Amino acid sequence: MIWQFDLILLIFVVIMAIAALQVRDLISAAVIFGSFSFLMCLLYAGMGAVDVAFTEAAVGAGVSTVFVLAMALHTTRRTKD
Amino acid sequence: MKFIALLVAVFTGAILMYAELDFPAWGDPQSPASTHLSPHYITQGFEETAAPNLVTSVLADYRSYDTMFETGVVLVAALAIMLILRRPWRNSIPGEGEEDSDDVVANDVVANDGAAPGDTRGGIATKSGAKAVSITTTLVSGASSDDSIIVRTACRLLIPVMQLFALYVLAHGHQSPGGGFQAGVILGASLILLALAYDLKTALRRFSEKRTMMVAVMGVLLYVGIGFLCLPLGGNFLDYSVWSNILPVSPVMARYHGMLWIEVGVTLAVMAVMFSIYVDLSSRGRLDEGL
């Protein structure tokens, strides 16, 4: 894997992780988690684990985002801390 | 308190990073995991199972016992969420009385709009009128009125393509990345998309809760059943090669087809479980409105 591309992806993964913790709106946090999963999917694909990347894209970026969104819409939209 | 939490997190992370130094380097061919069992899979996998995708043959054949219980765990997750959220015997959940009364008021307004002017009958008649009006609206438009026609048309085009792609992922899992779990998730996502673009009632009309759970259990049962039927045929549990005793295929191709059928079981189970979890989460277990 090209290390420059790897580095950019890893930096974005860290940014997404911090952003998902910092943002107050839980809907935004869910969407940021989706993009986090998608970046992880790209990293897995770069390592050659295409099956894992496929699963991560389908489950992490797709379905689990919808689940978290459903929960956020039915509980509180804004986090307390 | 927050400072202590940060301290604990940083300390744990530092210890984990320190422990990570002892791991073998990434992709190291001399690491224990790569020298013990992997060479057998890599050199013999294709001869023994005829599946070019090594991941599928390891997942569905060599490590089939593991995958079987993973499917079971997924089913148990759906059952647990249903057990916590579904309260079919209770009409309203405590603490949500305000919302229910709001709904009634809204229905009354709708009924007054729909009914003939000057109609001053009692509350019960108004409520039945509201029900009739809402049923007519549902029948005419096929969904609730605040849906966008663009979204609905796009989803109508997208959902069949998704389902076809899921079937390809399932059937082609032996040759290319993919397999039962991914296909099941894509199929479940297509059902979730239907529920999001229309509403939950439309999706549940196509794929009711009872049917969802039956499909989930049937998927796990298909997996376990294929494994169990290997025992009377003279093999070990989940040793598909003995299917060649009664089917006109070689033992290698019997393993290939056995893998395909247990992948079908995984697909059915995962699809139904994903949809069931979405249905329960999005409607707070009441199966009424959805998101």
Side-chain angles (χ1 to χ4, degrees), chain B residues 265-290:
Chain B
V266 172
T267 304
L268 291 178
V270 170
M271 169 188 72
V273 161
M274 290 296 159
F275 186 58
S276 162
I277 291 177
Y278 171 76
V279 164
D280 285 335
L281 286 184
S282 69
S283 68
R284 282 182 279 191
R286 285 190 289 187
L287 307 192
D288 45 3
E289 277 304 310

Side-chain angles (χ1 to χ4, degrees), chain B residues 13-287:
Chain B
I15 287 184
L16 282 176
M17 278 179 144
Y18 177 68
E20 199 262 346
L21 291 176
D22 282 344
F23 278 2
W26 180 68
D28 182 14
Q30 299 303 317
S31 68
S34 304
T35 52
H36 179 53
L37 208 50
S38 300
H40 175 79
Y41 294 153
I42 293 167
T43 53
Q44 305 295 314
F46 183 70
E47 280 84 26
E48 286 180 2
T49 64
N53 186 7
L54 207 60
V55 179
T56 303
S57 63
V58 169
L59 206 77
D61 189 296
Y62 295 112
R63 294 271 181 267
S64 190
Y65 198 58
D66 183 53
T67 313
M68 186 183 83
F69 281 104
E70 273 173 27
T71 317
V73 163
V74 168
L75 177 67
V76 168
L79 288 177
I81 288 176
M82 187 175 276
L83 201 66
I84 292 169
L85 287 178
R86 283 288 278 145
R87 291 283 185 270
W89 57 88
R90 204 193 299 166
N91 283 328
S92 64
I93 298 165
E96 290 175 357
E98 309 92 334
E99 278 190 24
D100 287 346
S101 60
D102 283 351
D103 285 351
V104 169
V105 170
N107 280 345
D108 283 343
V109 171
V110 170
N112 286 336
D113 286 348
D119 192 356
T120 51
R121 275 176 295 173
I124 298 164
T126 322
K127 266 181 197 168
S128 66
K131 197 172 276 179
V133 166
S134 69
I135 286 170
T136 335
T137 322
T138 317
L139 285 179
V140 168
S141 69
S144 59
S145 55
D146 56 350
D147 286 340
S148 155
I149 190 164
I150 298 172
V151 172
R152 264 190 278 158
T153 312
C155 287
R156 194 179 290 175
L157 290 174
L158 199 58
I159 287 167
V161 179
M162 278 175 78
Q163 292 177 342
L164 200 62
F165 180 67
L167 290 182
Y168 157 76
V169 167
L170 167 67
H172 214 253
H174 293 61
Q175 267 84 23
S176 65
F181 196 77
Q182 289 93 331
V185 171
I186 296 173
L187 275 176
S190 73
L191 290 171
I192 292 173
L193 193 63
L194 181 72
L196 278 173
Y198 289 74
D199 58 358
L200 201 58
K201 282 204 184 93
T202 315
L204 282 173
R205 246 199 319 270
R206 307 256 169 174
F207 207 66
S208 67
E209 190 186 28
K210 191 176 170 188
R211 196 180 293 175
T212 307
M213 290 324 287
M214 271 174 69
V215 166
V217 174
M218 258 173 52
V220 179
L221 211 61
L222 180 65
Y223 198 140
V224 180
I226 287 174
F228 259 113
L229 282 178
C230 297
L231 294 175
L233 291 173
N236 286 322
F237 186 53
L238 291 168
D239 180 12
Y240 321 124
S241 60
V242 292
W243 280 92
S244 62
N245 294 340
I246 54 165
L247 297 178
V249 287
S250 64
V252 172
M253 284 314 282
R255 288 177 83 162
Y256 185 89
H257 292 303
M259 275 155 57
L260 182 63
W261 278 101
I262 64 143
E263 297 260 22
V264 171
V266 172
T267 304
L268 291 178
V270 170
M271 169 188 72
V273 161
M274 290 296 159
F275 186 58
S276 162
I277 291 177
Y278 171 76
V279 164
D280 285 335
L281 286 184
S282 69
S283 68
R284 282 182 279 191
R286 285 190 289 187
L287 307 192

